[in-house]
């Protein structure tokens, strides 16, 4: 490990914000109220959204000293892929709201940083366009289940053909959460034609729309993504259509985590959808501890929700995550400064995490455990 990386100033990003709160404030200045509230807000009274942040205060890092950390490294592997540090860019839809280059810009930033980028089903650009923008990236594809199974099958086949390295199935959106800000603003991003590219370019979806018009396309998408009857057998159906690892995103209960292992899924993302689904639900970090014990290192575990700095990353990994994902922070960066903004967010997190690792007295992310933390709560 070189201390130079902690003191070198990136001339490209030196005038950009440092704190996530600054990025958020600048994004608010740039965006209209509807799009900004859509990105920032949670469901209900936002109890879960707040809990995702507040829970990190329960834990403090308990550092060791007089340990040689000159070779400390944040590098790791995930699903047999090398990561420069244990961070992923979470699937966030409608990134064209933030920047004209949207997902393509974010994917390029992730590619340059050596971390995975998870492309959302409801992307402004198609998965093929995203893959073309970052051809050497560790790109994953997030699938929103379609009531028409053939559409789901078609999308995962397209992702594999385009070079994506994993499928992330979101399992907590059978119904959409009660998002008061969107309701009050009358803002429906799908109506802005910023999240339909994967549907418009999908042959199975095209066949399912009898008369091809903007109105009918939106209606068909809305019909497909509502699936309160989604179950384990449905998701297992994807095994017939892809050889890629399948990761379940939205697991919070330890019994669901155990079942995911039993059924042979390849990974779990512990997530409450950034506090955007069930308000009053458990925080992601608290759920991570339950899931980690249930999984017992049998498959990789990732977590998202409330992570804003390197210390947060450290705590999440010490409590059982193999890697963490961020959503809103990189979207704020995308909104303020496009690809450069996303790069700045990633770079700052990496520096913070590398410092947290070394100053805690550890040389590898694989050494972290709950013994690195203290809590009196």
């Amino acid at each position: 490990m070189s201390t130079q990386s902690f003191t070198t100033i990136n001339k490209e990003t030196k005038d950009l914000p440092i704190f996530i709160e600054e990025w958020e404030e600048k994004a608010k200045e740039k965006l209209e109220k509807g799009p900004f509230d859509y990105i920032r807000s949670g469901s209900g009274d936002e109890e879960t959204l707040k809990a995702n942040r507040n829970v990190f205060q329960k834990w403090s890092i308990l550092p060791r000293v007089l340990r040689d950390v000159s070779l400390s490294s944040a590098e790791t592997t995930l699903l047999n892929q090398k990561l420069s540090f244990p961070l992923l860019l979470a699937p966030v839809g409608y990134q064209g709201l933030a920047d004209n280059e949207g997902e393509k810009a974010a994917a390029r930033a992730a590619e340059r940083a050596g971390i995975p980028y998870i492309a959302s089903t409801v992307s402004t650009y198609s998965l093929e366009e995203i893959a073309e923008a970052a051809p050497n990236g560790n790109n994953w594809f997030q699938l929103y289940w379609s009531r028409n199974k053939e559409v789901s099958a078609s999308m995962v086949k397209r992702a594999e053909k385009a070079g994506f390295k994993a499928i992330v199935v979101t399992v907590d959106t059978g119904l959409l959460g009660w998002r008061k800000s969107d309701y009050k603003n009358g803002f429906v991003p799908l109506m802005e034609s910023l999240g339909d590219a994967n549907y418009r370019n999908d042959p199975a979806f095209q066949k399912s729309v009898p008369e091809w018009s903007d109105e009918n396309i939106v209606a068909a998408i809305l019909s497909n993504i509502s699936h309160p009857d989604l179950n384990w057998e449905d998701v297992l159906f994807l095994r017939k259509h892809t050889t890629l690892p399948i990761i379940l995103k939205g697991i919070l209960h330890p019994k669901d985590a155990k079942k995911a292992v039993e059924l042979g899924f390849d990974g779990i993302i512990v997530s409450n959808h950034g506090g955007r689904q069930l308000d009053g639900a458990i925080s992601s970090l608290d759920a991570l501890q339950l899931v980690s014990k249930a999984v017992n290192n049998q498959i990789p575990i990732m977590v998202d929700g409330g992570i804003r700095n390197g210390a947060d990353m450290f705590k999440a990994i010490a409590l059982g995550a193999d890697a963490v994902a961020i959503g809103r922070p990189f979207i704020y960066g995308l909104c303020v400064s496009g690809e450069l903004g996303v790069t700045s967010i990633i770079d700052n997190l990496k520096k913070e995490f590398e410092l947290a690792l070394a100053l805690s007295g550890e040389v590898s992310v694989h050494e972290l455990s709950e013994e690195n933390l203290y809590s009196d709560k």
Side-chain angles (χ1 to χ4, degrees):
M1 180 193 68
S2 170
T3 57
Q4 184 178 2
S5 62
F6 303 138
T7 57
T8 300
I9 295 175
N10 186 330
K11 293 181 180 179
E12 285 186 303
T13 61
K14 69 181 182 66
D15 294 325
L16 294 177
I18 294 292
F19 299 99
I20 297 299
E21 293 79 7
E22 292 181 88
W23 287 101
E24 181 179 339
E25 189 59 35
K26 286 186 177 296
K28 184 177 182 180
E29 292 171 2
K30 287 192 69 172
L31 292 174
E32 294 181 1
K33 184 172 175 55
F36 177 77
D37 283 351
Y38 175 79
I39 293 167
R40 185 217 61 80
S41 66
S43 63
D45 293 333
E46 300 188 341
E47 291 180 10
T48 303
L49 177 66
K50 295 168 188 172
N52 277 349
R53 280 297 302 138
N54 294 338
V55 68
F56 283 94
Q57 296 177 11
K58 293 197 311 185
W59 296 94
S60 300
I61 298 172
L62 187 60
R64 300 288 304 277
V65 297
L66 299 177
R67 292 155 67 96
D68 183 357
V69 294
S70 59
L71 297 179
S72 181
S73 172
E75 290 184 355
T76 189
T77 57
L78 188 64
L79 299 178
N80 298 317
Q81 297 291 322
K82 184 178 179 180
L83 279 62
S84 64
F85 74 122
L87 181 74
L88 304 86
L89 298 191
V92 179
Y94 313 105
Q95 290 180 28
L97 290 171
D99 180 78
N100 288 336
E101 284 287 283
E103 296 83 7
K104 294 193 294 183
R108 287 193 296 261
E111 177 185 50
R112 188 181 305 107
I115 62 173
Y117 174 79
I118 310 177
S120 171
T121 295
V122 286
S123 293
T124 305
Y125 293 96
S126 69
L127 61 91
E128 289 86 359
E129 291 173 305
I130 295 168
E132 185 178 356
N136 299 312
N138 186 357
N139 299 314
W140 300 6
F141 177 68
Q142 174 268 337
L143 178 72
Y144 277 125
W145 184 258
S146 286
R147 184 169 289 183
N148 180 342
K149 287 186 177 181
E150 295 308 312
V151 174
S152 294
S154 178
M155 286 195 181
V156 299
K157 288 176 182 176
R158 287 169 54 204
E160 185 163 0
K161 183 179 179 181
F164 284 74
K165 294 182 170 60
I167 302 296
V168 177
V169 185
T170 296
V171 295
D172 62 357
T173 53
L175 298 169
L176 290 181
W178 177 234
R179 301 170 188 174
K180 294 180 179 179
S181 292
D182 294 344
Y183 180 79
K184 183 178 180 180
N185 293 330
F187 185 74
V188 182
L190 191 61
M191 305 300 290
E192 306 292 323
S193 297
L194 292 172
D196 58 5
N198 281 318
Y199 291 97
R200 285 179 178 270
N201 289 277
D202 191 84
F205 180 78
Q206 291 168 1
K207 291 178 182 178
S208 72
V209 183
E211 295 183 22
W212 197 251
S213 67
D214 290 346
E215 184 178 349
N216 288 343
I217 290 169
V218 171
I221 294 173
L222 291 173
S223 175
N224 266 291
I225 62 177
S226 177
H227 45 70
D229 56 345
L230 180 64
N231 58 68
W232 291 98
E233 289 300 319
D234 288 332
V235 185
L236 284 170
F237 161 82
L238 295 177
R239 284 288 185 207
K240 302 175 184 177
H241 300 282
T242 183
T243 62
L244 294 175
I246 298 177
I247 298 160
L248 302 185
K249 179 180 182 291
I251 299 290
L252 295 172
H253 200 291
K255 289 185 177 179
D256 290 334
K258 286 182 178 179
K259 188 154 189 176
V261 173
E262 292 168 2
L263 293 176
F265 290 101
D266 301 288
I268 287 170
I269 299 180
V270 176
S271 173
N272 53 37
H273 217 95
R276 293 169 62 78
Q277 282 296 95
L278 175 62
D279 195 32
I282 187 172
S283 71
S284 291
L285 195 70
D286 281 336
L288 170 65
Q289 297 166 72
L290 302 177
V291 169
S292 179
K293 291 175 183 176
V295 169
N296 194 26
N297 296 315
Q298 294 175 84
I299 58 175
I301 299 173
M302 292 140 275
V303 63
D304 68 19
I307 293 156
R308 295 293 182 270
N309 54 55
D312 293 342
M313 289 184 62
F314 183 101
K315 293 173 186 179
I317 292 169
L319 290 171
D322 294 285
V324 307
I326 58 169
R328 290 180 181 90
F330 89 83
I331 294 297
Y332 294 145
L334 183 66
C335 176
V336 174
S337 299
E339 183 178 339
L340 184 62
V342 181
T343 294
S344 182
I345 294 288
I346 296 171
D347 285 351
N348 289 339
L349 271 174
K350 185 178 183 184
K351 289 173 184 175
E352 278 191 297
F353 179 71
E354 287 175 336
L355 269 172
L357 185 67
L359 289 175
S360 75
E362 301 294 354
V363 298
S364 168
V365 296
H366 305 291
E367 294 183 355
L368 300 187
S369 71
E370 195 169 325
E371 291 184 358
N372 293 101
L373 303 178
Y374 170 77
S375 177
D376 62 355
K377 300 177 176 64

